[in-house]
Amino acid sequence: MSFRAPLTKHHADGSDCPADHKHTRSGKPLHPDCPGREFTQAICSCGDWEMRHSGKGYVNECRKRRLAQHRPASVSASPVLRDVPPFNMR
Ligand SMILES: [Zn+2]
Ligand SMILES: [Zn+2]
């Protein structure tokens, strides 16, 4: 089972700030309906973890760390090793 924790952007009142709300490099909203992006949120699909913070990079970092905790530690090991009879052994 794998988990996801997508990043979402929000306005100060908690409503979604969708991708078509463009902003200037300094973060000023260009969309007439956009009051400005207030925070970024990530909710893990395990239902056990969520966070919000004004720094998108920070949320992203915590999110990755959180997802890494869900990964079983043994995944980095080599593919399944079978018990091969030692035919070729001398
Ligand atoms: Zn917006
Ligand atoms: Zn989780």
Side-chain angles (χ1 to χ4, degrees), residues 7 14-15 26 29 41 47 60 66 68 77-78:
L7 287 182
S15 59
S26 58
Q41 182 172 273
N60 198 26
R66 172 70 204 191
S78 50

Side-chain angles (χ1 to χ4, degrees), residues 2-90:
S2 66
F3 296 95
R4 282 157 27 84
L7 287 182
T8 49
K9 323 272 180 14
H10 297 269
H11 306 133
D13 64 1
S15 59
D16 256 34
C17 187
D20 64 323
H21 284 187
K22 302 290 183 209
H23 298 77
T24 64
R25 283 188 65 109
S26 58
K28 287 219 176 69
L30 294 170
H31 193 285
D33 291 339
C34 188
R37 227 164 242 188
E38 187 70 15
F39 61 91
T40 301
Q41 182 172 273
I43 300 179
C44 187
S45 58
C46 71
D48 232 24
W49 180 90
E50 66 174 88
M51 78 166 295
R52 52 170 67 177
H53 194 272
S54 57
K56 180 182 172 222
Y58 179 64
V59 176
N60 198 26
E61 215 172 89
C62 294
R63 176 183 80 96
K64 283 191 200 147
R65 209 174 297 147
R66 172 70 204 191
L67 289 174
Q69 287 172 10
H70 281 309
R71 264 171 230 134
S74 58
V75 157
S76 58
S78 50
V80 182
L81 289 174
R82 294 168 175 277
D83 283 323
V84 183
F87 288 129
N88 301 324
M89 292 204 80
R90 310 184 57 178

